[in-house]
Amino acid sequence: MNNIFKKAILLLCVSFIYSSCETVDFGNTNDNPNGPTAAVTSQLLTQAQKTVATIGTDMTGILFTQQLTEGQYPGESRYATLTYNYNGYYTGSIQNLNEIIKLNTNDDTKTQAQAFGDNNNQIATAKILRTFILQFMTDSWGALPWSEAFQGIDNPQPKFDTQEELYTLMFAEIEEALSLINTTKAGPSGDLIFSGDMARWRVFANSLKMTMALRISDANPTLAKSKFEQVISSGHYIKTNADNIEFNYTSDNAGDSEWHDRFKTREDYILSDAMMESLRTNIDPRLFKYAEPSKTGTAASTTFPGGADAKYVGAPDGKVNGNVPDYSFPTGTIIYDETYPTPIYTSAQMKLSMAEAKLKGWNVGSGTTASLFKDGITDSMTYWKVDAADIATYLAAHTSSAIADIAYEKWIALYLNGQEAWSEWRRLDAPALTPSEFAGDPRIPVRLAYDSSVEDNNQANYATIVGIQGADDLHTKLWWDKN
């Protein structure tokens, strides 16, 4: 009887506590009076945009295309990294952009979101950035989970979309973004790149669209031609260096340049033989703009008048180049100036792309292949502050504008823009680069392999996409890589 009585009393106590929790109002006791009461889209955008800088300075493509090589720790120059993880993009910047779109679309939140810019302009900006990041990802790994992704526990194992499907999705995303842009209404707050200038975001979208179009020109030439010509017809694209799209930095530690951070306490990266000797052989005045003179080394041979290039020394790709003062560092303009901007899309890149498009017979306006080729070189050299006389001398000696010449000049013009340089090198198979003799597998990678967690956590869909795309290694060509 005593046990029954005790259990009854315990049950009554639990019931009282439970009912009390339901009826007591604690008001705003647990609210932070200094914190936001709703998601602040400007902060989400600022954080997401920082990924643009990391993509624009990505070392993988720079090392694979032998613009730079490494000093005493030449792992990636030897293609020693066998798998790469993309999870950070999904859980970081892309989630932020998804949230911006959601907050500006949902009827319950879009009025509040207008405090940070016009709803449609915020959505357009998020979609442009999301496409930019996705292109970087698919041009690295190929197929990715996308159309079924971002559903959390509702679908923890999404299917992979093929790269062809992803490009279709990306073009649709860009078209929607362009249709939403309204230059007469407020752009997004928290915009590090254009400070809310929607006319500039329209140029960014078209630069991305033009780049995607040329990228797939061997895989789907009809679609590529159509999309490229649409950009030209719109008139909203980069025409001069004044239109260049750059990521600007601040002088504080939280916002300074990626290059400055890399060289604060270490000296890991130096000019490669491939880049240095190409510039030297062609008597290219950009040699003196791209590199610093070596402190202790001397070039084996010189080509410039008076041996002006004697102290400009490249290092063997993938070798343990332990005594880095023997070689040339990237220009101090970039590595020692914490605010020096990173180019994302430039006039030189677009002019050389238009030269190739003209060579294909596409409508690019009034320019010829030869004139656009010349303009691309000129804009590249002007951007790097080469003297006009030196530009004229170089152009007089380089008059051929065949596809091999365009590919070479694009590789040179995309110096330190690693992802674009690597993608265009893979697409064009030019210029000819010799794989590192120090690599265990002497083949320059043409894609990134998935991290092992992809197979572990999504086995069925992983197996399916490997069956479609090909072996999950560094040497399976992507859908658009037909040459």
Side-chain angles (χ1 to χ4, degrees):
M1 287 294 292
N2 285 336
N3 287 337
I4 294 173
F5 180 75
K6 289 178 180 178
K7 290 180 179 178
I9 293 296
L10 180 61
L11 180 60
L12 285 171
C13 291
V14 171
S15 299
F16 175 76
I17 293 169
Y18 178 76
S19 62
S20 297
C21 290
E22 283 196 313
T23 57
V24 174
D25 182 4
F26 291 97
N28 60 1
T29 301
N30 292 318
D31 291 345
N32 177 4
N34 299 315
T37 57
V40 180
T41 57
S42 60
Q43 294 179 7
L44 294 170
L45 180 62
T46 297
Q47 288 302 312
Q49 285 189 351
K50 291 180 180 179
T51 302
V52 175
T54 63
I55 289 173
T57 59
D58 182 66
M59 285 306 307
T60 300
I62 292 171
L63 295 173
F64 285 174
T65 55
Q66 300 176 16
Q67 296 180 345
L68 302 181
T69 190
E70 293 165 297
Q72 56 267 54
Y73 305 112
E76 199 156 22
S77 297
R78 294 179 172 185
Y79 331 127
T81 303
L82 300 180
T83 64
Y84 294 77
N85 193 313
Y86 53 62
N87 288 341
Y89 299 103
Y90 280 92
T91 60
S93 53
I94 295 173
Q95 284 286 30
N96 284 359
L97 297 169
N98 289 347
E99 188 68 12
I100 291 170
I101 294 168
K102 176 183 173 183
L103 291 169
N104 281 278
T105 305
N106 191 299
D107 288 335
D108 294 331
T109 57
K110 65 182 184 182
T111 300
Q112 279 182 299
Q114 285 179 344
F116 307 103
D118 175 71
N119 292 135
N120 283 344
N121 283 341
Q122 289 191 66
I123 294 168
T125 301
K127 286 180 175 287
I128 294 165
L129 285 170
R130 192 166 67 176
T131 304
F132 177 80
I133 297 168
L134 177 55
Q135 193 204 13
F136 165 77
M137 292 171 65
T138 186
D139 284 359
S140 298
W141 285 274
L144 294 164
W146 194 261
S147 60
E148 291 186 0
F150 313 108
Q151 298 178 36
I153 60 173
D154 292 333
N155 188 8
Q157 295 166 332
K159 73 166 187 175
F160 284 71
D161 296 300
T162 66
Q163 186 171 54
E164 182 175 10
E165 291 168 337
L166 290 172
Y167 263 81
T168 299
L169 289 168
M170 290 192 296
F171 278 122
E173 186 102 310
I174 285 298
E175 301 301 354
E176 184 179 356
L178 286 166
S179 72
L180 290 171
I181 289 175
N182 188 329
T183 58
T184 67
K185 293 187 176 182
S189 301
D191 178 8
L192 298 174
I193 303 176
F194 298 129
S195 299
D197 186 339
M198 295 311 298
R200 294 287 284 148
W201 276 110
R202 183 168 55 195
V203 173
F204 190 116
N206 275 327
S207 302
L208 176 55
K209 182 177 175 180
M210 182 185 288
T211 303
M212 291 193 304
L214 196 59
R215 189 68 39 80
I216 68 166
S217 57
D218 292 325
N220 190 336
T222 301
L223 179 63
K225 178 176 184 290
S226 172
K227 294 298 183 183
F228 197 99
E229 290 180 345
Q230 285 172 15
V231 174
I232 300 300
S233 178
S234 76
H236 300 299
Y237 57 91
I238 296 173
K239 300 182 178 70
T240 69
N241 280 329
D243 301 324
N244 287 353
I245 296 171
E246 299 175 320
F247 191 93
N248 293 298
Y249 300 99
T250 57
S251 58
D252 58 288
N253 286 334
D256 61 348
S257 106
E258 302 274 334
W259 285 109
H260 183 257
D261 283 345
R262 286 181 181 132
F263 279 83
K264 271 182 182 176
T265 59
R266 300 176 64 92
E267 295 178 332
D268 287 334
Y269 303 110
I270 47 186
L271 267 287
S272 74
D273 265 339
M275 174 60 73
M276 186 68 81
E277 294 310 312
S278 294
L279 295 168
R280 195 190 316 276
T281 299
N282 284 285
I283 316 180
D284 190 328
R286 284 170 287 191
L287 180 148
F288 305 105
K289 304 298 182 179
Y290 284 7
E292 290 292 311
S294 166
K295 295 177 182 177
T296 57
T298 302
S301 61
T302 62
T303 61
F304 284 79
D309 54 322
K311 298 299 290 182
Y312 289 80
V313 185
D317 191 57
K319 186 180 179 182
V320 178
N321 301 300
N323 192 30
V324 291
D326 284 347
Y327 306 104
S328 292
F329 291 125
T331 171
T333 303
I334 289 176
I335 65 176
Y336 300 130
D337 182 351
E338 66 266 31
T339 64
Y340 195 85
T342 290
I344 306 301
Y345 293 115
T346 66
S347 182
Q349 178 184 357
M350 296 306 161
K351 293 285 177 54
L352 292 169
S353 293
M354 291 168 67
E356 182 185 350
K358 186 69 176 182
L359 201 61
K360 293 177 180 293
W362 298 358
N363 180 11
V364 297
S366 59
T368 65
T369 296
S371 69
L372 290 164
F373 178 74
K374 178 181 177 181
D375 290 345
I377 297 172
T378 300
D379 285 352
S380 172
M381 291 191 173
T382 302
Y383 179 81
W384 285 94
K385 297 180 172 54
V386 174
D387 290 341
D390 291 334
I391 296 174
T393 299
Y394 184 88
L395 290 173
H398 298 84
T399 56
S400 172
S401 54
I403 188 62
D405 303 299
I406 295 171
Y408 171 80
E409 288 296 341
K410 184 168 276 191
W411 176 65
I412 295 294
L414 287 170
Y415 176 61
L416 302 185
N417 190 337
Q419 179 69 17
E420 281 301 300
W422 183 38
S423 294
E424 290 297 83
W425 175 81
R426 287 177 287 168
R427 181 178 67 85
L428 294 165
D429 285 325
L433 298 175
T434 303
S436 171
E437 65 177 292
F438 304 98
D441 184 338
R443 292 179 291 171
I444 298 174
V446 294
R447 72 175 283 267
L448 304 184
Y450 302 120
D451 184 76
S452 60
S453 63
V454 174
E455 181 179 8
D456 293 341
N457 298 324
N458 198 357
Q459 291 183 4
N461 288 313
Y462 171 84
T464 297
I465 201 60
V466 169
I468 295 170
Q469 181 168 271
D472 182 19
D473 57 30
L474 304 178
H475 308 294
T476 294
K477 287 191 172 188
L478 301 181
W479 163 69
W480 48 253
D481 187 1
K482 299 297 184 183
N483 293 325

